[in-house]
Amino acid sequence: MKNIIFALLLAHILMSSESHAEWFNQRANYLSTDGESVAFIPNVINGVREIVLDDGITIMPMSVKEDKGFVRLSYFYIPLATPKSSAVWTILGNDILELTKITTDDNGEVYYHFACTDPLLASDGPIVSYVYSERRGVIMFELLTDHPVKRYNKSYVLIDDAGVGKVLSVD
Amino acid sequence: MNNPLAGTDPSGYIADCILAIHCAEQGLPNPFKYPPNCPFCVSVGGDQSEDNGNKRNQSQSRNSENGETEKIGNQSLLNIKTLDDVTVPENWEPKYLALADDTRADQLDEADRKLNYLIDEATSEHFQAVEQALNDKSLTEERRAHLVEAQDNLRSAVFTYSRYDNPERLAQGGVDFDGGNPRIKFFRSMDKAMGSNGKPASGYGEKLRLGYEGIIDVIHHEGGHLIRPLHYVTNSQGGYSKLKRLDIEKVTNQYMLFLRNYEGR
């Protein structure tokens, strides 16, 4: 009986209209290899939950969305459940999300290496690739940026204790 | 930049509606919902300058819905070079501007209020410039598409003011690549857009105009950030990708220079 109640409760939570984004940290600062900082800031505008990327020049708001077991927090798709192996998902329309590898550090912390590609875009590679752990969130990422002559990759590393997508109950 | 006028009333004229609580007692609007004990809610009014007949005043009259603007629009905003020159009309209320989440009404001082007044008026100028530009039959299809999107996004945009004196920038704007959430946020540092000591400010390599027009320039520029083709790369189906353009500031400066030609003066 307890199992049934638990299953029903779990189903209710998973199917609830409440956003699972609340489970994850959404405020973090990163520094690029060029010394440029970017901040991710949660916000609600016109009743829509979003995360704003503030790169010091312009702001880039993106609404928080959920699809196929992931929550999109700005550029990053954060898994709602721990991935067990490399896989590829078509997510939120066109984006191809690939878990390219899973690594573990000396402390046993597991890192998931994701790459996100827009297949409709003539691109030199993923729009964004990032390394994510449940305990620290996105610890580093690389963005592809368009330029009239050439496209550039810019790399960023986390400078806060908690990155975007850190599971808030884990510590 | 510090605000030397904070807490002062340069006009020497103190209106009846000096504090928010008095405004409320008189049934007058309370633009920022100041608290009753607000010490800086100085509302000044009266004819502060002569009507020099310039087109700016005509523009203000065009904005008038009830004739009140004519009474309070005697100052020429074009003549405003610093916040010292600003007289906020009595009972003025912002049309566009709201406070950002990081700013409380009771934190605002008189300099904030003057700056808010200029930003709000300049935002109105920006709306009109976009509208005027859309009437230009000689525009390229690309530029017309930019303006149509700009106008759509301006209508749904949220304009906010932050008291944060950002040392690196005056304002910021952005729009979701999915088309939602357009917004422009102004910082207290916007007063730097007016230049100082007769020297103009610079925005990403482009000189801004002096005084009030410098503020208009910044809004023209930020308005460009609400145009997705200037911000994002399109994919093979014409949709917008998260891929961001590196030269966005350059193209939004071009948009700023373009819109100067359509200001209502």
Side-chain angles (χ1 to χ4, degrees):
Chain A
M1 186 62 181
K2 278 185 180 177
N3 287 342
I4 294 173
I5 292 173
F6 178 77
L8 289 172
L9 187 61
L10 185 63
H12 172 74
I13 291 171
L14 292 175
M15 298 178 70
S16 166
S17 59
E18 284 290 314
S19 170
H20 299 111
E22 294 170 3
W23 298 354
F24 305 110
N25 177 53
Q26 298 173 40
R27 185 184 299 275
N29 291 281
Y30 296 81
L31 197 64
S32 81
T33 48
D34 299 328
E36 299 164 343
S37 63
V38 296
F40 292 87
I41 304 161
N43 189 37
V44 177
I45 187 166
N46 297 330
V48 177
R49 186 194 294 265
E50 64 176 20
I51 295 190
V52 178
L53 186 158
D54 183 343
D55 65 5
I57 299 176
T58 58
I59 57 177
M60 189 166 176
M62 273 195 238
S63 53
V64 172
K65 290 185 177 176
E66 293 186 27
D67 190 30
K68 297 178 182 173
F70 291 86
V71 178
R72 187 183 75 193
L73 300 179
S74 190
Y75 276 106
F76 314 118
Y77 294 99
I78 307 299
L80 287 168
T82 303
K84 300 301 181 190
S85 61
S86 297
V88 177
W89 300 265
T90 301
I91 201 164
L92 285 174
N94 297 319
D95 283 356
I96 301 297
L97 180 67
E98 183 177 4
L99 175 59
T100 57
K101 61 180 176 181
I102 302 173
T103 57
T104 307
D105 68 12
D106 292 342
N107 297 320
E109 182 63 33
V110 180
Y111 297 95
Y112 303 93
H113 299 246
F114 287 101
C116 182
T117 307
D118 182 347
L120 298 177
L121 190 71
S123 149
D124 302 323
I127 292 171
V128 59
S129 53
Y130 54 99
V131 181
Y132 168 78
S133 82
E134 290 182 345
R135 190 171 294 278
R136 294 195 63 203
V138 174
I139 59 168
M140 59 184 298
F141 63 98
E142 187 172 88
L143 290 180
L144 186 63
T145 302
D146 190 63
H147 183 272
V149 177
K150 184 183 176 184
R151 285 180 174 161
Y152 289 89
N153 284 297
K154 299 192 79 170
S155 298
Y156 299 84
V157 294
L158 177 68
I159 55 175
D160 292 344
D161 291 336
V164 171
K166 174 189 175 182
V167 179
L168 291 175
S169 60
V170 172
D171 222 346
Chain B
M1 182 179 291
N2 293 324
N3 293 288
L5 290 179
T8 67
D9 173 19
S11 73
Y13 175 86
I14 308 294
D16 290 337
C17 177
I18 186 169
L19 292 175
I21 190 171
H22 297 145
C23 300
E25 287 170 355
Q26 296 171 28
L28 297 172
N30 178 1
F32 286 118
K33 297 180 172 54
Y34 292 130
N37 59 349
C38 167
F40 46 76
C41 303
V42 178
S43 178
V44 296
D47 294 340
Q48 301 296 317
S49 61
E50 293 182 3
D51 183 351
N52 61 8
N54 69 32
K55 291 181 179 178
R56 167 62 205 165
N57 288 340
Q58 295 172 21
S59 175
Q60 280 204 326
S61 298
R62 191 167 61 239
N63 289 337
S64 174
E65 292 181 358
N66 54 16
E68 287 296 311
T69 307
E70 192 63 34
K71 186 174 65 177
I72 63 177
N74 287 331
Q75 63 175 317
S76 168
L77 294 181
L78 278 182
N79 291 335
I80 289 173
K81 299 305 178 192
T82 72
L83 288 184
D84 292 8
D85 304 329
V86 179
T87 301
V88 180
E90 188 176 358
N91 304 332
W92 170 76
E93 285 187 87
K95 295 175 191 166
Y96 305 102
L97 211 52
L99 294 182
D101 290 343
D102 58 10
T103 300
R104 300 193 317 270
D106 62 2
Q107 295 173 316
L108 299 180
D109 60 21
E110 188 183 355
D112 290 308
R113 182 171 163 79
K114 289 179 173 183
L115 190 52
N116 275 243
Y117 172 58
L118 294 184
I119 293 170
D120 208 60
E121 288 292 314
T123 301
S124 183
E125 295 261 11
H126 176 69
F127 270 77
Q128 291 172 39
V130 171
E131 189 175 335
Q132 289 294 324
L134 275 167
N135 291 331
D136 186 345
K137 306 294 184 191
S138 67
L139 293 179
T140 65
E141 285 305 308
E142 182 184 35
R143 185 56 92 190
R144 182 171 298 282
H146 291 170
L147 289 164
V148 168
E149 171 143 11
Q151 192 174 52
D152 282 349
N153 283 333
L154 282 168
R155 285 170 177 161
S156 59
V158 174
F159 300 86
T160 56
Y161 176 77
S162 167
R163 199 168 184 275
Y164 174 46
D165 197 353
N166 193 321
E168 296 175 347
R169 88 189 91 141
L170 313 174
Q172 61 182 15
V175 64
D176 191 329
F177 66 88
D178 285 339
N181 304 338
R183 92 283 311 278
I184 295 176
K185 182 177 184 178
F186 302 98
F187 298 102
R188 185 176 171 125
S189 13
M190 268 292 279
D191 58 355
K192 294 187 180 77
M194 304 171 82
S196 62
N197 300 322
K199 294 181 179 177
S202 174
Y204 301 106
E206 195 67 49
K207 280 185 181 177
L208 308 182
R209 290 171 292 180
L210 284 168
Y212 169 64
E213 289 178 301
I215 289 181
I216 297 175
D217 281 340
V218 172
I219 299 176
H220 286 342
H221 176 99
E222 299 304 332
H225 289 316
L226 304 189
I227 301 171
R228 287 177 295 166
L230 303 185
H231 200 149
Y232 301 105
V233 177
T234 53
N235 62 32
S236 61
Q237 292 185 358
Y240 294 99
S241 163
K242 289 193 284 289
L243 192 60
K244 187 178 173 182
R245 294 194 186 283
L246 192 64
D247 59 347
I248 179 172
E249 302 304 329
K250 180 180 174 184
V251 294
T252 45
N253 265 349
Q254 290 167 352
Y255 181 72
M256 172 188 81
L257 297 173
F258 163 78
L259 279 184
R260 281 181 185 173
N261 300 316
Y262 297 95
E263 292 169 359
R265 290 188 290 272

